[in-house]
Amino acid sequence: MKGAIVAALVGSAVAASHKAHAGFHLRRNPGYVPQEDVCKTVTTTVYVTASDLPPIVSNTTVVVAPSPVPETSTSCTKEAQTTPPAYTPAPVPSTSEKPVVPTSSEKPVAPSPPPYVPVSSEKPVVPSSSEKPVVPSPPPYVPAPKPSEVVSSYHAPPPAPKPSEAVASYHAAPPAPSSKPAPLKPKPSKPSTPSYGGSGSWNKPNGKKWAITYTPYTQGGDCKSASEVQTDVGKIAGLGYTTIRVYSTDCGVFENVVPACTQHGLQIIYGIFLDAATPPNSQGASDQLQDIIDNAPKGSVSMLIVGNEYISGHGGDAGSLAGYISTVRTKFRAAGFDAPVTTTETVAAWEQYGSAWCDAIDIFAAQVQPYFDGGKTASEAGDFAYDQLEQAAKVCPEAAAKGKFISEIGWPAGGSPNGAAIPGKAQQKQAMRSIIDKVGDHACIFSYQDDAWKAPGAYNVEQYFGCADNL
C-alpha cells in the first residue's frame, strides 16, 4: 500500500482571572485561575491507491482488499505507528479453462477489442481463431472507486460546538441538533423543556426589563405596612418590571408582598437566606422553605435562590451548600413546584468553589457589581456585566444552557469613588441605562430603594443603591 496521513488535534482552554465584587454585606476578591490538562489524540488513516488493487481479469469477479479501519492512539507522549497489512493477491483463473462462448447461426461479428490492462506475466486465455465465435460487446467500463471514495466514511467527525457557542440565549435553549438524519418521527434524546420541569412561564421579561430586588423594610429597618408595600409594588409594576426578588420570607412577605404582587400580576424570586446563624439544614433554613411551600402561589414563583453570597459574604462551606440545595430541590418538587432552584455568588466565588454546586442547581445565577471592580466607569457597566456573566457561567455549562441570570446588579448614587468608578445620581442613571441595554432581560436590578438600615460598608456606598427614580 502507499501513503498515510496523520492528523493531530490539540485543544486547550485557559480560564481568565478577574476581579469581582464582595458579598451582600461583606465583599471579597479571591483570585482563581483554573487550569486544564491537555492530551493529544492522533488519528492515522491508511488510504489504498488504484495501483495497489489486484489486477482485473476479463469475465472474472474483481476482488477489492478491505480498507483498514483507522487506528487511534490516545498516548500523550508518542505518535501512533501503523503497519500496513501484508498484500494478498487476488486469485487468477486457471489458463486451462476456456471461456464460455455463445453460439449463433448468424454471421459472426468481430467485437471491439477491450482496452489493454496489464494483469500479470501470464498469457491471457484467448479463444481459438478457427472456431470464429460470436463475442458480445463488453459492458461499459466502470472504473474502480478512488481511495478517497473508499475510506471517506472513516474520517473523524468535526468537533462538537462548545456550550458557549451552541447556546446564544440566556433562557431555556432547544436541544442541540443531531448529526444524524432526522427520522420520519423524530424522538429527541433530551426533552424540549428544561429538566426541572418548567415550561418557561417562570421567566417573563418585558422587553429589556425583568426583575428588581425588594426588601419590605423601612429606612430604620422595621417592617413596612401593607399599604406601603402596596404602593411600592404598584410603582415597580408601573416601571415595566414583571418580577421582584425577595431575600427571605420575613417581614410580611406572604401577608403583604405576595398579595400586592398578585394584584399587579408580578412574579416573585423567593430566597432562603443563609448565614453563620442560619446555616444549611438549620431549623431557620427549614422554616423558610416550609413557608414558601405552604404559602407561595405556584404560578407566581419565578425561581428559588438558596443562599445569597453564602460563601463570599458569610464564610459558608461549599460542600454543605451543595447538599442543602439538593435537599431543597427534592422537597420543592415533591410539593408540586416546577420553578428552577439555584444559588447565587460573586463571579470569583463561582470560579473558586462553584464546581461543587453544578449538579445541584437547575439554572445559573451570579452577582455582578460593576462599581466594585474599580476599573470601569458607569458607561461601561453593561459591557462589564455581560462579560462577567459569560465568564462565570463556564463553571456550570449544563445549568447555564438552561438559563443564566444576573441575580443582583446596580450602581451607587452616593459614597466614595473606587478608582474609575464614581458614585452619584448622574452616574447611576448612566450605569442603569448601560446595564438595561446590555443585559436587562436577564438581570435583576439592585435595588428598588436605598437601605439606610445597612452599615455603610466599603467606600460608604451600601446605603445608596436605590435606583427606582433613575429607571
Side-chain angles (χ1 to χ4, degrees):
M1 296 185 179
K2 297 180 179 179
I5 300 176
V6 178
L9 304 177
V10 178
S12 65
V14 178
S17 61
H18 71 289
K19 298 176 64 179
H21 79 95
F24 183 59
H25 296 290
L26 175 64
R27 289 176 161 78
R28 301 179 178 179
N29 183 25
Y32 175 73
V33 180
Q35 300 179 350
E36 297 183 10
D37 292 330
V38 179
C39 177
K40 296 183 180 179
T41 299
V42 179
T43 303
T44 302
T45 305
V46 178
Y47 293 96
V48 180
T49 62
S51 64
D52 291 323
L53 297 175
I56 302 175
V57 182
S58 177
N59 291 329
T60 65
T61 301
V62 176
V63 179
V64 179
S67 300
V69 178
E71 300 178 358
T72 302
S73 169
T74 58
S75 171
C76 294
T77 59
K78 295 182 179 180
E79 296 185 354
Q81 298 180 350
T82 303
T83 302
Y87 168 71
T88 304
V92 180
S94 173
T95 57
S96 61
E97 297 180 4
K98 295 183 178 180
V100 179
V101 180
T103 60
S104 172
S105 59
E106 297 178 1
K107 198 171 183 177
V109 179
S112 300
Y116 172 74
V117 180
V119 295
S120 71
S121 59
E122 298 180 6
K123 295 181 179 180
V125 178
V126 182
S128 174
S129 59
S130 61
E131 296 178 3
K132 297 182 180 179
V134 177
V135 181
S137 299
Y141 172 71
V142 179
K146 298 178 180 178
S148 60
E149 297 173 347
V150 175
V151 298
S152 60
S153 62
Y154 294 102
H155 289 184
K162 299 178 181 178
S164 61
E165 298 171 343
V167 181
S169 173
Y170 289 96
H171 311 294
S178 173
S179 59
K180 298 180 180 180
L184 294 178
K185 294 182 179 180
K187 295 181 180 180
S189 58
K190 295 182 179 180
S192 58
T193 56
S195 61
Y196 49 79
S199 61
S201 62
W202 52 273
N203 178 41
K204 296 179 178 178
N206 176 24
K208 286 290 187 176
K209 294 183 177 181
W210 173 49
I212 188 169
T213 65
Y214 179 73
T215 51
Y217 308 140
T218 65
Q219 293 303 306
D222 297 325
C223 298
K224 287 187 175 184
S225 66
S227 61
E228 288 175 314
V229 171
Q230 182 69 239
T231 299
D232 292 343
V233 173
K235 187 173 182 178
I236 291 172
L239 290 171
Y241 288 86
T242 65
T243 307
I244 67 170
R245 177 190 174 191
V246 295
Y247 290 88
S248 182
T249 60
D250 65 340
C251 226
V253 166
F254 295 108
E255 295 80 5
N256 300 328
V257 178
V258 170
C261 288
T262 300
Q263 179 179 340
H264 291 281
L266 300 184
Q267 292 183 305
I268 300 175
I269 301 170
Y270 289 91
I272 296 177
F273 190 77
L274 304 175
D275 59 10
T278 311
N281 296 306
S282 66
Q283 187 61 49
S286 298
D287 289 344
Q288 292 179 70
L289 173 60
Q290 195 60 49
D291 279 346
I292 295 171
I293 290 175
D294 292 342
N295 300 296
K298 290 182 173 64
S300 72
V301 182
S302 176
M303 65 180 72
L304 175 58
I305 298 179
V306 183
N308 182 76
E309 298 183 6
Y310 177 61
I311 306 300
S312 61
H314 303 283
D317 175 70
S320 298
L321 178 60
Y324 186 60
I325 296 171
S326 296
T327 298
V328 169
R329 185 169 61 173
T330 299
K331 293 181 178 180
F332 202 53
R333 295 286 175 269
F337 292 87
D338 63 0
V341 177
T342 189
T343 189
T344 186
E345 264 295 349
T346 64
V347 175
W350 269 112
E351 291 187 322
Q352 188 168 359
Y353 305 103
S355 59
W357 312 322
C358 294
D359 292 337
I361 62 175
D362 292 317
I363 58 174
F364 187 86
Q367 311 269 83
V368 179
Q369 291 290 359
Y371 167 82
F372 287 101
D373 177 76
K376 305 299 178 183
T377 64
S379 62
E380 298 172 308
D383 289 328
F384 175 81
Y386 179 89
D387 293 340
Q388 287 284 284
L389 180 60
E390 290 296 308
Q391 180 174 325
K394 293 176 183 178
V395 176
C396 299
E398 292 186 5
K402 300 169 189 173
K404 47 187 172 182
F405 299 85
I406 296 175
S407 50
E408 184 183 295
I409 184 170
W411 193 275
S416 304
N418 177 24
I422 309 298
K425 276 288 186 181
Q427 288 84 356
Q428 184 188 64
K429 188 170 185 176
Q430 187 178 30
M432 300 319 296
R433 286 180 176 176
S434 175
I435 289 167
I436 292 171
D437 178 61
K438 296 294 183 178
V439 296
D441 61 345
H442 53 278
C444 187
I445 302 301
F446 179 82
S447 173
Y448 168 72
Q449 65 182 14
D450 283 340
D451 296 311
W453 53 270
K454 290 182 180 179
Y459 307 103
N460 301 305
V461 298
E462 289 293 342
Q463 299 172 342
Y464 304 110
F465 277 85
C467 62
D469 296 335
N470 261 336
L471 296 175

